[in-house]
Amino acid sequence: FNANGMVAIESDGSDPLGSYHFKNVLTTNSYDGTILQLNGALYLVSSTFGDIQVQSMSNPYTVSSAMSSIAHMDQPWETGVIEAPNQVNHNGQTFLLYSSGGYNQNNYSVGALRYNGGDPANAGSWSKTPRLFTGNGGDAFGAGAATAFYSPDGTQTWFAYSAYNGAPAMEVQKFYPRQ
């Protein structure tokens, strides 16, 4: 990964701390990539500062379509960038969490795109939920880059996110999607 693109690497063995080798270039013009697994298919979801983009993948290391924008900054709280997409599955629904604002400012916030069915590379297949939480006098200063995880019994969805109050920190919160 660099500021302008992403690559795939492959392990040389079964030890995750072992050696790796270069496998493929995924993209040269986006960042904050993640793999979306939906309806038995793989998609690379990434940021281009002003948009969240989706690309089909033929396998975990090969992009097989052009970028398609599924979200851009169009809410009053979305400023500067829209970035850090991460998939969360909750109560039978698929969401992409994302961040907008400045990581070191109290306006950095987390929002969510809800998948409504159809082609995941089509913006019409997604709708934005209201902002989940913000650092602006709310839950954390500079909250963003949320990643979901699940309780051991699978009944609760939580997420960890970065917070900033002069120094980077990590916060954890239960996931309650807003309508």
Side-chain angles (χ1 to χ4, degrees):
F1 170 80
N2 65 41
N4 297 314
M6 291 168 280
V7 300
I9 59 174
E10 184 176 51
S11 174
D12 292 324
S14 60
D15 180 1
L17 300 177
S19 62
Y20 287 77
H21 64 271
F22 171 83
K23 187 70 174 178
N24 199 17
V25 174
L26 296 175
T27 180
T28 59
N29 55 356
S30 65
Y31 69 104
D32 275 356
T34 190
I35 303 296
L36 171 66
Q37 298 181 40
L38 192 59
N39 302 325
L42 299 176
Y43 302 87
L44 176 65
V45 183
S46 59
S47 306
T48 60
F49 295 101
D51 290 279
I52 301 291
Q53 303 280 339
V54 173
Q55 293 175 273
S56 298
M57 300 184 79
S58 56
N59 56 49
Y61 52 87
T62 306
V63 171
S64 57
S65 73
M67 286 184 166
S68 178
S69 176
I70 60 167
H72 61 277
M73 292 180 287
D74 60 5
Q75 303 298 305
W77 65 272
E78 296 170 340
T79 61
V81 296
I82 183 171
E83 62 185 3
N86 275 297
Q87 180 177 358
V88 59
N89 298 315
H90 181 76
N91 289 339
Q93 295 183 329
T94 297
F95 297 86
L96 285 173
L97 304 177
Y98 67 92
S99 302
S100 187
Y103 81 93
N104 60 350
Q105 299 171 14
N106 64 1
N107 71 332
Y108 199 49
S109 301
V110 174
L113 295 167
R114 179 189 325 260
Y115 176 65
N116 300 313
D119 180 0
N122 181 332
S125 297
W126 300 89
S127 58
K128 287 186 179 178
T129 69
R131 175 173 43 186
L132 295 177
F133 60 95
T134 181
N136 190 6
D139 308 279
F141 183 83
T147 300
F149 63 97
Y150 306 94
S151 61
D153 65 3
T155 62
Q156 298 178 343
T157 305
W158 292 76
F159 53 94
Y161 57 91
S162 63
Y164 189 88
N165 193 4
M170 184 63 64
E171 301 285 336
V172 175
Q173 183 172 321
K174 193 170 181 181
F175 181 66
Y176 297 103
R178 297 180 178 158
Q179 303 300 317

